[in-house]
């Protein structure tokens, strides 16, 4: 969960989020190296105004500053493309969760278990507790260690179903069914929010996923069916 003063990503709870964090660190390191090189070159030019007094042309430097950026872009592009394909891959889901965005709440349906569906509204603010504006009355309950496929759409305007800890952010578009998948590695509570401006109460439609053990999930199902 996000905390005050945090500068980095939330702790990952899925393999895809781990890969996203690795790619971020990889790209950030390259940016730091390039920035350091540019600052050093600017310093050298400013400290010696006559440095390139006799320079009329330089084929070597032209080759260097053409090839070097191309190599840098390759080192960024290949991990990025690999990650894009991993994010789109859906492999043998064990559970399907249907998500519908409304102004301003979410509806969920477990289509693998008949007509199990419910609405999820933000909990009333009673001034007590640590999850103000983040908790809901009906949480999504999912088993840990299971590949989950999410089917996301909307009934009115464009929303965005986003859970940073899982590395999931997908638009809910009216008349269109978007698909994503994620794997929850451990039990816990994972918070998210609508990430597409959808009207006056856009900031009041949070998402809460409660991951439990397989036996705990079956007990939860038994209490609803």
């Amino acid at each position: 969960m996000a905390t005050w003063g945090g500068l980095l990503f939330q702790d990952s709870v899925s393999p895809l989020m781990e890969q996203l964090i690795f790619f971020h660190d990889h790209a950030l390191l390259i940016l730091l190296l390039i920035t350091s090189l540019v600052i050093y070159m600017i310093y050298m030019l400013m400290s010696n105004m006559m440095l390139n007094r006799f320079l009329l042309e330089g084929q070597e430097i032209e080759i260097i500053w053409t090839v070097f950026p191309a190599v840098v872009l390759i080192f960024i592009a290949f991990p990025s493309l690999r990650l894009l394909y991993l994010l789109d891959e859906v492999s043998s889901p064990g559970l399907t969760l249907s998500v519908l965005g409304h102004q301003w709440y979410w509806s969920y349906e477990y289509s693998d278990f008949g007509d199990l569906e419910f609405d999820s509204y933000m909990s009333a603010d009673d001034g007590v507790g640590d999850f103000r504006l983040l908790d809901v009355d009906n949480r999504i309950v999912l088993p840990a260690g299971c590949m989950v496929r999410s089917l996301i759409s909307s009934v009115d305007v464009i929303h965005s179903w986003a859970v940073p800890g899982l590395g999931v952010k997908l638009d809910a578009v009216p008349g269109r069914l978007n698909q994503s998948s994620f794997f929850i590695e451990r039990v816990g509570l994972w918070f998210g929010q609508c990430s597409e401006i959808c009207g006056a109460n856009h900031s009041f439609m949070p998402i809460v996923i409660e991951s439990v053990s397989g036996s705990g999930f079956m007990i939860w199902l038994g209490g609803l069916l």
Side-chain angles (χ1 to χ4, degrees), residues 52 54 61-62 106 132 147 187 195:
N52 295 317
F54 301 109
I61 193 65
E62 291 283 351
W106 297 99
R132 178 178 177 269
M147 180 63 73
V187 300
S195 297

Side-chain angles (χ1 to χ4, degrees), residues 25-38:
D25 296 342
H26 169 75
L28 185 61
L29 177 60
I30 293 177
L31 288 174
L32 288 175
L33 293 175
I34 294 174
T35 303
S36 301
L37 178 61
V38 171

Side-chain angles (χ1 to χ4, degrees), residues 137-156:
D137 54 358
N138 292 313
R139 296 171 175 173
I140 311 165
V141 179
L142 295 172
C146 175
M147 180 63 73
V148 179
R149 175 179 62 180
S150 56
L151 303 176
I152 302 171
S153 188
S154 173
V155 298
D156 38 48

Side-chain angles (χ1 to χ4, degrees), residues 147-175:
M147 180 63 73
V148 179
R149 175 179 62 180
S150 56
L151 303 176
I152 302 171
S153 188
S154 173
V155 298
D156 38 48
V157 299
I158 298 177
H159 302 274
S160 185
W161 198 75
V163 184
L166 296 175
V168 175
K169 181 182 182 296
L170 204 63
D171 286 345
V173 182

Side-chain angles (χ1 to χ4, degrees), residues 48-211:
N48 187 353
M49 301 300 293
M50 307 298 290
L51 184 64
N52 295 317
R53 174 165 64 134
F54 301 109
L55 182 61
L56 298 178
E57 64 175 291
Q59 296 298 327
E60 295 83 4
I61 193 65
E62 291 283 351
I63 294 173
I64 290 173
W65 69 36
T66 301
V67 173
F68 179 71
V71 173
V72 171
L73 289 176
I74 289 174
F75 274 96
I76 295 177
F78 278 109
S80 176
L81 292 173
R82 172 180 171 272
L83 189 54
L84 283 174
Y85 280 106
L86 287 175
L87 290 172
D88 286 338
E89 184 70 22
V90 178
S91 56
S92 302
L95 180 66
T96 298
L97 175 69
S98 298
V99 182
L100 277 178
H102 304 260
Q103 288 182 315
W104 288 272
Y105 64 96
W106 297 99
S107 294
Y108 301 102
E109 179 182 351
Y110 292 76
S111 53
D112 297 318
F113 304 99
D115 296 328
L116 177 56
E117 56 182 324
F118 56 85
D119 297 331
S120 180
Y121 292 86
M122 185 182 69
S123 296
D125 183 14
D126 55 5
V128 180
D130 298 329
F131 306 126
R132 178 178 177 269
L133 302 182
L134 284 177
D135 213 344
V136 296
D137 54 358
N138 292 313
R139 296 171 175 173
I140 311 165
V141 179
L142 295 172
C146 175
M147 180 63 73
V148 179
R149 175 179 62 180
S150 56
L151 303 176
I152 302 171
S153 188
S154 173
V155 298
D156 38 48
V157 299
I158 298 177
H159 302 274
S160 185
W161 198 75
V163 184
L166 296 175
V168 175
K169 181 182 182 296
L170 204 63
D171 286 345
V173 182
R176 178 173 179 176
L177 197 62
N178 287 329
Q179 177 177 270
S180 180
S181 64
F182 52 88
F183 182 89
I184 304 178
E185 294 179 326
R186 59 185 185 273
V187 300
L189 283 179
W190 321 111
F191 294 87
Q193 290 179 304
C194 177
S195 297
E196 185 74 33
I197 297 178
C198 56
N201 291 331
H202 155 69
S203 56
F204 303 115
M205 47 185 304
I207 303 160
V208 182
I209 295 179
E210 181 179 353
S211 60

